[in-house]
Amino acid sequence: MTVTTLGIPRRLLEFTLDGEPVRAPEGTTLLDACRSAGKDVPTLCQGDTLTPKNACRVCVVEVEGARTLVPACSRKAEAGMEVRTDTERTRHSRKVVLELLASSVDLSTTPEVAGWLKEYEAKPDRFGPDAARVDEEPRVDNDLYVRDYGKCILCYKCVDACGDQWQNSFAISVTGRGFDARIAVEHDGPLTESACVYCGNCIEVCPTGALSFKSEFDMRAAGTWDESAQTGTTTVCAYCGVGCNLTLHVQDNEIVKVTSPHDNPVTHGNLCIKGRFGYQHVQNRD
Amino acid sequence: MDLHFGDSKPTDEERAAVDALLGPPESSWEGADRSDADLRWARGGRAARERRDLLLPGLHAVNDRIGWISEGALDYLCRRLTVPPAEAYGVATFYAMFSVKPRPATVLQVCTDLACAAAGASELCAGVEARLGLGSGVGVERSPCLGLCERAPAALAVKAGDPVRTAVSAPATVERAVLAASSPGSAPEEPSAALAVPQAGDPSLMLLGRVGVVDPASLDDYRAHGGYTALRQAFAIGPAGVIREVTDAGLVGRGGAAFPTGRKWQATASQPDHPHYLVCNADESEPGTFKDRVVMEGDPYSLVEAMTIAAYAVGAHKGYLYLRGEYPRALRRMEHAVGQARARGLLGDDVLGQGYAFDIEIRRGAGAYICGEETALFASIEGYRGEPRSKPPFPVEKGLFGKPTAENNVETLVNVLPILTGGASAYAAIGSGASTGPKLFCVSGSVDRPGIYELPFGATLGELLDLAGVRGGLRAVLLGGAAGGFVRPDELDIPLTFEGTRAAGTTLGSGVVLAFDDTVPLPRLLLRIAEFFRDESCGQCVPCRVGTMRQEEALHRIVERTGADAAADITLLREVGRAMKDASICGLGQTAWNAVESAIDRLGAYE
Ligand SMILES: Cc1cc2nc3c(=O)[nH]c(=O)nc-3n(C[C@H](O)[C@H](O)[C@H](O)COP(=O)(O)O)c2cc1C
Ligand code: SF4
Ligand code: SF4
Ligand code: SF4
Ligand code: FES
Ligand code: FES
């Protein structure tokens, strides 16, 4: 989280990060420590408003004495640890994990991943033309948002956001197992027959664009989506008295989607259906 | 939490199946007829959430009675347990034994795994499928190892109904498998568990000594053969005394990871958080492993007694026996033994009149190898998908229901009996080096007398294979099951100890010894291993979910290739394998490449 909670003072731990001694408050994850020290570690399933599931394994680092690599996003720092973030071993695993992901799903709308693929010299093509992919038609079954599981990396963020970490609607979960595991609603039906309340909090946290606004999906299909031409304006939702912050993404004088700042201490980026999707009245000019 | 249910209603039979487990619904909110009292009825908070762990038994109840789980049945179960239907659907689709689509009431699972494949499983499958085609009312499914490898090839028929009927056919012929599937109720009784123990009756056996000797249904017979002296001894020396004995005996876990049992118990016992739990891991789904089944079928009370001692040592008043779903006879025998022990005051509020309360609940798995992984097993019991989590925190600190938990394998636990009756030093004198005591080995494949062998640690692989009557033309031996490694026929002097196998660059794992002669096509075998892991991956982490798929694809490409033609794919396999070993969350992904790697390096599989 980007908000700093000023709780009771915590004990400082000392450990080494890439050979340099560092101090961090007790309870700090290795990822926090890396970021404070200005080190770059790639992450996908970690999200600033959620407890990570540590399932993607791109953030793995080496901890002296551990048999396997450990996920920096979830492992808490301990006094005396010797952590290395950029060794041949960590680079190898990150490279292969990126290759495995990029060969199985469409990462074209995942921010930053293109840079990591280059940085780690990943070659997703080397598994051959017959490598199994999650090639699924996007599910367009309502007017608000689209589920395109051909882009889903199974980071579990949407499940956690819809479930016990934020929304408590429990409309979606992981089904099946292994390579056939997918995010789905109950009985794998359409969203409209599920417990979904269209808060859009799952879209807010989805790192890949597998979940997207119908408006964005349609504009991308029409070739008119242009992020560089968009402006973001943060304002207060006009619907009720809670006062959630909304960021209106505007392209060509039209609101194209609504997000919410994650560092808002009240909402942490979560909204309800009205704040998230109820923006048509703003631009109804007839 | 505001649960949403669709319009699907359960049939009367589905409702009856659920109600038989949970009792009748208390209110229309739970699916009963509407009454005035419903307006003032609420179940919330902890009372609602605390029933989540009945989800897996509930799914079994429906699947057993109907053969599959419909939307209406799932929704009804969710209403009764206050579980969101999306989550329950995620759980139901996780397990191989459940179906969320209609299917025939009778399902015949035909094992196509390593020992069965070597014993002609593909012909069996083809023959069975030809006889039980469409319209026969039987669904034929290919299954991973059924834990009957000593009688390979094996098949298991399950006929839904009230009660559900099961029949095992092993060694199976097309005739016998078809018969078992068409009338599982009248199929002949399986051969005695003792037949899986070629040494049965040998008085020197410490772990298998009672198998074939006692009546597995009789508590009196168990007591007449030394049963419950170990528990008396435990009460005499107290929990700390038990832990001391087990530590001094040098007992290490037999479930595959070889962790010192005394240390695990001490760590659990000393946790300030309460309650503590004991879990016995009887999931046994490692291909080639069947020892826990034979112990449970042949000497069930020994496990009840051993669990009681372990629970007493770690301060647990409740124990769970997580028993693999494909073991119908072991389940019946354990249910009977637990019931008898309870009726006779050996379980319950006042065990043996010592003022110590302990009881055992049996939970059935539903066809998922991954649920043998300790943290996945907790999730499975709790009613979640059987997905492992990263450690730390370790189970001794945060295990079942987030509480301190000691989890042990069946074989590990029954070792505690001779430790307590014979004393730690006598036990520690058996075996060699850091591996003390007796060890069970599951021998199958190209041998004349497949079965479970009990030998002191330190016997060599060759000695074990001689006992089992290894056939000529030995090509390779797989040690430790699918997660283990292959060794060559010229390596038979490897001592069967944890340190000896480690020194030889291989592993003992759970004690699997699968012998393959030169008629077995090695690349096909490796493909089967890869297929197993791809099928059994929980799908949570990328290196395993996609890596096992890429591994299988590469092995497919080189199944008929050698040398330079295979080189590029072998490089690919090595790179992916290394990342799987290093970056996967749990042991499944971390070991899924071991056997293939050893076949390439030690056997020259593609040269
Ligand atoms: C994928 C996987 C499957 C496992 N399956 C089993 C099993 O079926 N039975 C078992 O006792 N241990 C199994 N284990 C090992 C357990 O996680 C755990 O180490 C063991 O039950 C601890 O008991 P022990 O200390 O008595 O060996 C498995 C581990 C992994 C990673
Ligand atoms: S929109 Fe809200 S309720 Fe619907 S699936 Fe996403 S998080 Fe859950
Ligand atoms: S849909 Fe998005 S948030 Fe959900 S698991 Fe897939 S990638 Fe993650
Ligand atoms: S290694 Fe495989 S089985 Fe284990 S958590 Fe990862 S995906 Fe699941
Ligand atoms: S970001 Fe750490 S495992 Fe995904
Ligand atoms: S029962 Fe078929 S391989 Fe074990």
Side-chain angles (χ1 to χ4, degrees):
Chain A
M1 261 191 278
T2 41
V3 243
T4 319
T5 42
L6 296 173
I8 37 167
R10 288 179 293 171
R11 207 157 57 90
L12 287 185
L13 301 168
E14 273 188 48
F15 61 102
T16 63
L17 202 55
D18 292 330
E20 301 286 326
V22 288
R23 282 147 65 90
E26 206 171 17
T28 304
T29 63
L30 295 181
L31 181 68
D32 292 339
C34 286
R35 290 190 171 160
S36 313
K39 286 184 195 300
D40 193 25
V41 175
T43 57
L44 280 167
C45 71
Q46 186 267 348
D48 55 353
T49 61
L50 295 158
T51 305
K53 185 79 173 166
N54 63 70
C56 78
R57 315 306 274 189
V58 291
C59 71
V60 285
V61 297
E62 221 174 308
V63 171
E64 183 70 32
R67 191 172 39 87
T68 58
L69 300 175
V70 308
C73 64
S74 305
R75 185 62 172 269
K76 301 266 191 295
E78 290 162 36
M81 249 182 186
E82 281 182 47
V83 183
R84 280 181 295 276
T85 64
D86 196 29
T87 62
E88 191 275 328
R89 205 173 150 203
T90 60
R91 293 186 69 87
H92 175 81
S93 276
R94 286 181 204 159
K95 174 184 106 160
V96 172
V97 163
L98 288 165
E99 287 175 335
L100 292 173
L101 269 182
S103 66
S104 54
V105 295
D106 169 11
L107 295 180
S108 62
T109 50
T110 309
E112 293 193 82
V113 105
W116 294 330
L117 287 169
K118 200 173 283 159
E119 180 187 342
Y120 290 97
E121 294 170 23
K123 297 186 195 62
D125 296 344
R126 64 191 183 126
F127 302 115
D130 299 331
R133 288 186 66 85
V134 182
D135 273 328
E136 291 196 0
E137 284 301 306
R139 299 192 188 197
V140 190
D141 51 18
N142 67 89
D143 290 335
L144 301 182
Y145 85 94
V146 175
R147 303 176 288 157
D148 182 358
Y149 294 128
K151 291 178 168 172
C152 171
I153 60 167
L154 275 183
C155 69
Y156 288 66
K157 277 185 192 169
C158 57
V159 177
D160 290 341
C162 185
D164 60 357
Q165 292 195 26
W166 293 116
Q167 184 60 26
N168 275 287
S169 283
F170 299 93
I172 47 180
S173 93
V174 179
T175 68
R177 74 178 184 213
F179 199 80
D180 298 328
R182 297 285 185 278
I183 304 291
V185 305
E186 62 262 38
H187 316 305
D188 200 14
L191 209 58
T192 46
E193 284 170 25
S194 77
C196 177
V197 298
Y198 303 96
C199 61
N201 294 333
C202 52
I203 315 174
E204 182 77 47
V205 296
C206 179
T208 63
L211 307 178
S212 69
F213 281 76
K214 177 89 169 16
S215 50
E216 174 174 346
F217 180 82
D218 289 342
M219 288 174 75
R220 280 186 188 275
T224 55
W225 181 258
D226 181 4
E227 222 146 318
S228 62
Q230 292 170 9
T231 54
T233 306
T234 298
T235 178
V236 176
C237 179
Y239 277 108
C240 75
V242 170
C244 302
N245 285 184
L246 308 180
T247 301
L248 308 176
H249 297 251
V250 175
Q251 181 180 331
D252 296 332
N253 221 18
E254 294 276 327
I255 300 172
V256 291
K257 70 173 180 183
V258 175
T259 60
S260 178
H262 290 197
D263 58 1
N264 181 307
V266 178
T267 61
H268 300 286
N270 298 306
L271 294 171
C272 77
I273 180 171
K274 293 180 288 182
R276 180 86 61 190
F277 293 106
Y279 54 77
Q280 277 309 327
H281 72 286
V282 179
Q283 48 206 29
N284 203 340
R285 298 187 179 86
D286 304 330
Chain B
M1 176 155 70
D2 176 20
L3 297 189
H4 166 276
F5 301 98
D7 307 328
S8 353
K9 294 276 171 284
T11 64
D12 289 346
E13 220 187 341
E14 288 165 345
R15 186 188 293 269
V18 173
D19 290 352
L21 177 77
L22 302 176
E26 286 177 28
S27 138
S28 72
W29 299 99
E30 285 195 318
D33 290 335
R34 198 170 285 279
S35 77
D36 286 348
D38 286 336
L39 295 172
R40 291 180 301 279
W41 191 87
R43 192 209 308 274
R46 194 186 304 170
R49 284 194 303 273
E50 260 178 1
R51 291 150 55 100
R52 170 82 187 230
D53 72 299
L54 292 173
L55 183 58
L56 186 55
L59 293 171
H60 267 302
V62 175
N63 199 70
D64 276 354
R65 178 89 69 110
I66 318 292
W68 68 286
I69 300 159
S70 73
E71 289 188 19
L74 191 67
D75 282 357
Y76 180 62
L77 184 60
C78 287
R79 259 183 217 278
R80 297 297 317 275
L81 298 174
T82 323
V83 172
E87 286 195 351
Y89 182 76
V91 172
T93 53
F94 186 83
Y95 295 99
M97 290 176 80
F98 298 148
S99 172
V100 293
K101 300 208 170 66
R103 65 172 171 186
T106 305
V107 172
L108 182 71
Q109 295 189 43
V110 185
C111 175
T112 53
D113 224 317
L114 306 174
C116 292
S122 45
E123 294 79 42
L124 176 65
C125 256
V128 166
E129 272 165 352
R131 287 277 302 275
L132 295 171
L134 286 177
S136 69
V138 176
V140 179
E141 291 179 3
R142 277 149 212 264
S143 161
C145 177
L146 289 167
L148 296 160
C149 325
E150 86 279 13
R151 287 185 273 145
L156 168 68
V158 181
K159 182 178 185 193
D162 183 21
V164 60
R165 304 244 177 233
T166 58
V168 157
S169 173
T173 58
V174 174
E175 278 308 307
R176 283 202 292 257
V178 167
L179 191 70
S182 37
S183 57
S186 53
E189 166 71 10
E190 281 184 69
S192 146
L195 287 186
V197 182
Q199 300 156 302
D202 179 342
S204 70
L205 295 181
M206 295 171 76
L207 304 175
L208 299 174
R210 274 183 294 253
V211 176
V213 175
V214 290
D215 172 0
S218 164
L219 178 52
D220 289 324
D221 205 23
Y222 177 67
R223 294 184 97 154
H225 286 87
Y228 280 101
T229 48
L231 181 61
R232 282 180 200 285
Q233 175 65 7
F235 281 132
I237 60 179
V242 175
I243 293 177
R244 191 180 349 100
E245 288 291 296
V246 168
T247 308
D248 291 350
L251 177 63
V252 300
R254 309 292 202 234
F259 191 82
T261 306
R263 256 174 54 207
K264 187 184 282 186
W265 290 10
Q266 178 61 47
T268 313
S270 61
Q271 292 294 324
D273 195 9
H274 279 276
H276 294 181
Y277 290 106
L278 174 81
V279 172
C280 174
N281 188 342
D283 196 45
E284 190 167 70
S285 314
E286 181 71 46
T289 319
F290 45 97
K291 61 193 174 77
D292 298 344
R293 170 179 62 81
V294 172
V295 169
M296 292 188 286
E297 288 181 348
D299 193 11
Y301 289 100
S302 68
L303 183 57
V304 176
E305 181 183 0
M307 282 181 71
T308 312
I309 295 170
Y312 176 65
V314 303
H317 297 290
K318 175 109 195 223
Y320 286 87
L321 174 63
Y322 190 87
L323 214 164
R324 128 163 246 215
E326 293 90 338
Y327 279 178
R329 183 161 73 171
L331 176 69
R332 278 199 305 277
R333 298 249 161 107
M334 289 310 304
E335 276 176 341
H336 180 78
V338 166
Q340 288 297 107
R342 200 178 285 140
R344 302 271 291 273
L346 295 164
L347 287 175
D349 292 339
D350 186 15
V351 175
L352 265 179
Q354 298 283 325
Y356 168 68
F358 177 64
D359 213 331
I360 296 175
E361 195 170 321
I362 300 180
R363 287 300 172 93
R364 262 161 90 194
Y369 167 67
I370 188 59
C371 290
E373 197 280 340
E374 48 191 353
T375 58
L377 193 155
F378 302 147
S380 179
I381 292 181
E382 291 164 11
Y384 294 90
R385 294 163 54 80
E387 293 173 348
R389 57 171 169 74
S390 284
K391 292 177 274 189
F394 290 96
V396 295
E397 200 189 320
K398 285 196 187 325
L400 186 63
F401 302 116
K403 297 295 177 184
T405 303
E407 175 177 324
N408 283 110
N409 170 256
V410 173
E411 182 191 345
T412 312
L413 287 171
V414 295
N415 267 279
V416 173
L417 305 176
I419 291 174
L420 288 186
T421 49
S425 50
Y427 182 94
I430 304 166
S432 77
S435 304
T436 61
K439 173 77 192 107
L440 301 183
F441 296 97
C442 309
V443 188
S444 58
S446 313
V447 293
D448 290 329
R449 290 174 296 280
I452 310 225
Y453 289 83
E454 177 181 325
L455 291 177
F457 272 113
T460 65
L461 180 55
E463 285 164 2
L464 174 61
L465 284 174
D466 281 343
L467 270 181
V470 69
R471 297 190 199 131
L474 185 68
R475 166 79 166 96
V477 181
L478 181 59
L479 280 185
F486 285 98
V487 298
R488 289 187 307 271
D490 62 358
E491 296 179 299
L492 299 187
D493 54 355
I494 294 179
L496 296 173
T497 57
F498 292 114
E499 60 278 14
T501 45
R502 203 175 306 129
T506 181
T507 174
L508 205 54
S510 58
V512 171
V513 174
L514 256 164
F516 297 102
D517 62 26
D518 45 21
T519 63
V520 178
L522 207 48
R524 295 245 155 244
L525 199 66
L526 300 183
L527 199 51
R528 169 62 215 165
I529 292 176
E531 181 187 59
F532 173 80
F533 283 113
R534 192 256 302 140
D535 245 7
E536 298 295 335
S537 165
C538 82
Q540 192 182 196
C541 65
V542 178
C544 174
R545 177 176 78 238
V546 190
T548 52
M549 178 61 107
R550 299 291 175 254
Q551 170 170 288
E552 188 187 346
E553 289 164 352
L555 290 173
H556 255 296
R557 286 196 290 270
I558 59 174
V559 75
E560 314 244 306
R561 291 196 215 164
T562 51
D565 288 343
D569 276 313
I570 288 179
T571 308
L572 199 65
L573 280 166
R574 284 191 199 280
E575 288 202 19
V576 173
R578 184 172 167 223
M580 285 164 67
K581 209 180 265 202
D582 255 358
S584 296
I585 294 181
C586 84
L588 188 144
Q590 288 160 11
T591 60
W593 150 246
N594 287 0
V596 180
E597 182 181 32
S598 69
I600 294 171
D601 290 343
R602 291 178 102 105
L603 305 180
Y606 298 96
E607 276 165 18

